[in-house]
């Protein structure tokens, strides 16, 4: 015979949810990230480089390939930063990649859409030296304007 509802035993599991999302590892992402906002679309590679920025109303790319490179200046020459396994955080309007290079330099790149009198994007780079010795760095932003379609609509 069934027992009354007051004597039924139930169990529950409690799981701690971290207060801040850690993001995805770039090595787990195989294809470019697609961000869309209003009439714009951007294709971002998991390492933070921009494949293209498109204006959807005009059916054309406005900005082509862009990549930021870091170099450390030393007495014996210039050393290119190794490629870390970036941590990627994405929202519909922005993306952020963070990682550590040269064992002591924390790098954070953020990409965000901009809409004013014209459409575009803003890339911000933050560097933090967590070591005790000062660093001399060179930042080079490579941009390929030939990938953009600046002529009339096709």
């Amino acid at each position: 015979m069934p027992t009354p509802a007051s004597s039924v035993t139930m169990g529950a599991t409690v799981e701690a949810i971290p207060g801040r999302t850690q993001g995805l590892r770039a090595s787990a992402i195989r294809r470019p990230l697609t961000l869309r906002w209003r009439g714009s679309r951007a294709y971002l590679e998991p390492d933070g480089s921009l494949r293209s920025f498109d204006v959807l109303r005009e059916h054309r790319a406005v900005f082509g390939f862009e990549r930021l490179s870091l170099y450390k200046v030393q007495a014996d020459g210039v050393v290119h930063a190794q490629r870390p396994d970036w941590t990627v955080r994405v929202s519909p309007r922005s993306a952020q990649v963070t990682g550590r290079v040269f064992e002591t330099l924390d790098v954070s790149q953020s990409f965000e859409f901009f809409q004013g009198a014209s459409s575009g994007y803003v890339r911000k780079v933050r560097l933090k030296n967590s070591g005790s010795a000062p660093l001399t760095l060179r930042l080079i932003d490579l941009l390929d304007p030939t990938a953009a379609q600046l002529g009339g609509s096709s």
Side-chain angles (χ1 to χ4, degrees), residues 3-20:
T3 60
S6 61
S7 66
V8 174
T9 306
M10 296 182 68
T13 304
V14 177
E15 181 180 342
I17 299 174
R20 191 173 176 193

Side-chain angles (χ1 to χ4, degrees), residues 35 42 44 50 53 93-95 109-113 121-122:
L35 302 176
L44 285 171
L50 179 76
F53 177 85
R93 187 178 168 184
S94 65
Q109 294 184 61
S110 65
F111 170 93
E112 187 173 352
F113 287 105
Y121 66 92
V122 176

Side-chain angles (χ1 to χ4, degrees), residues 90-150:
V90 180
S91 73
R93 187 178 168 184
S94 65
Q96 180 181 23
V97 294
T98 57
R100 179 170 278 196
V101 295
F102 302 124
E103 291 84 36
T104 60
L105 185 66
D106 294 322
V107 179
S108 174
Q109 294 184 61
S110 65
F111 170 93
E112 187 173 352
F113 287 105
F114 169 80
Q115 186 103 29
S118 61
S119 301
Y121 66 92
V122 176
R123 179 185 297 273
K124 296 179 185 175
V125 178
R126 293 188 176 132
L127 306 171
K128 180 182 177 188
N129 183 4
S130 58
S132 59
L135 290 174
T136 303
L137 297 172
R138 288 188 182 159
L139 299 170
I140 299 176
D141 188 39
L142 300 175
L143 179 64
D144 181 11
T146 61
Q149 302 167 5
L150 300 175

